[in-house]
Amino acid sequence: MRFDVLTIFPELFAPHLTHGVTRRAFESRQVDVRLWPLRDFADDNYRRVDDRTYGGGPGMVMLAEPLEKALTAVKADRGEAAPVVIHFTPTGARIDQARVQDLAAGQGAILLCGRYEGIDQRVLDRHVTLELSLGDFVLSGGELPALALLDAVARLQEGVLGDAKSHEQDSFSDGLLDCPHYSRPEVLADGRGVPPVLLSGHHADIRRWRREQSLALTAARRPDLIAAARAAGRLSKADESFLAKL
């Protein structure tokens, strides 16, 4: 799959693409990331990509013409009909694991990273097919959400994680939050130990303990996810019995 990133700060992406376990996806081109510096499409000698907003007010707005030229170039280079164009904005739909899984199974997208007060609305109206947000807060630009999305998509690609099943127990993969995890030493210096069930060797007991921990954590912190899992029929009788005792 291919992601084309339109940004005025392409240098922000280089460290992410070459470090960590997800670099396997980027280096192998399983997730082919191509950076398009927006200033390369500016007309004037100053490579200007922003100007004052019509109607007055603080801040600058990203100009339509450099963005139009960049999008035309990207679409021509991709050579495919109607690629998905994603714009990162606080007004967009919140990125969740279901959305990431859909994108991870697709052909990629064009990622439009805004800055300043935003992008000329005429560009958004003409080109954008999906608006996404990390949450109910404001960032300085779309680069951080783009990086988060690329990371989330990359780790779902085959062969990227050391254990092919690692992502299957991630938070949200089954609609719930993940359970706690423990590693060596078995007992810390202050006496805190690993839950005995994890040392028992009884795989059925361990699976059930992990499921109940996941249920308890989700019920305490994200009861909306419990309601959604119940509505989707993802809770077993054992799950419901456990939840009733909380």
Side-chain angles (χ1 to χ4, degrees):
M1 69 182 60
R2 171 175 166 176
F3 287 90
D4 293 271
V5 184
L6 278 63
T7 173
I8 62 173
F9 295 119
E11 62 274 13
L12 293 179
F13 289 82
H16 176 79
L17 300 178
T18 56
H19 290 82
V21 68
T22 52
R23 77 181 187 282
R24 298 172 183 169
F26 304 126
E27 291 175 351
S28 69
R29 299 284 180 153
Q30 284 176 277
V31 180
D32 183 6
V33 178
R34 306 191 187 188
L35 304 173
W36 298 77
L38 282 173
R39 296 192 188 279
D40 289 353
F41 298 91
D43 287 329
D44 65 351
N45 292 333
Y46 296 99
R47 304 175 76 197
R48 192 177 185 86
V49 295
D50 64 290
D51 207 336
R52 291 170 294 177
T53 177
Y54 278 119
M60 307 290 275
V61 175
M62 295 187 72
L63 294 170
E65 291 180 339
L67 285 161
E68 290 280 356
K69 291 179 180 179
L71 285 163
T72 297
V74 172
K75 291 178 180 180
D77 191 66
R78 288 180 71 100
E80 61 184 70
V84 175
V85 179
I86 297 175
H87 172 226
F88 298 101
T89 168
T91 63
R94 185 172 297 186
I95 300 172
D96 58 19
Q97 191 68 9
R99 178 81 66 183
V100 170
Q101 289 169 340
D102 286 343
L103 288 169
Q107 298 302 311
I110 298 173
L111 306 183
L112 189 55
C113 300
R115 279 271 159 176
Y116 314 120
E117 290 300 307
I119 291 172
D120 190 302
Q121 186 64 39
R122 292 167 292 186
V123 175
L124 305 181
D125 291 341
R126 181 180 181 186
H127 296 281
V128 171
T129 53
L130 178 63
E131 292 193 316
L132 296 177
S133 170
L134 281 183
D136 297 337
F137 55 93
V138 179
L139 295 167
S140 298
E143 286 79 13
L144 288 176
L147 284 167
L149 182 64
L150 290 171
D151 184 89
V153 167
R155 67 189 310 281
L156 295 182
Q157 302 306 306
E158 184 176 356
V160 171
L161 300 183
D163 186 334
K165 294 185 177 181
S166 290
H167 65 77
E168 294 179 6
Q169 66 180 26
D170 287 343
S171 290
F172 310 111
S173 292
D174 63 352
L176 304 178
L177 301 181
D178 194 11
C179 66
H181 297 279
Y182 299 84
S183 187
R184 294 171 177 75
E186 182 178 327
V187 180
L188 296 178
D190 60 9
R192 287 176 294 156
V194 174
V197 65
L198 298 179
L199 307 174
S200 68
H202 296 297
H203 298 297
D205 291 348
I206 292 172
R207 282 194 299 271
R208 188 63 219 167
W209 180 87
R210 285 174 170 164
R211 179 66 174 179
E212 290 178 351
Q213 291 293 306
S214 176
L215 288 165
L217 186 62
T218 306
R221 299 186 183 181
R222 291 291 304 276
D224 58 305
L225 296 179
I226 293 290
R230 181 174 289 122
R234 292 195 297 264
L235 299 182
S236 67
K237 290 183 178 180
D239 292 339
E240 293 288 13
S241 177
F242 175 77
L243 289 168
K245 299 174 183 176
L246 294 179

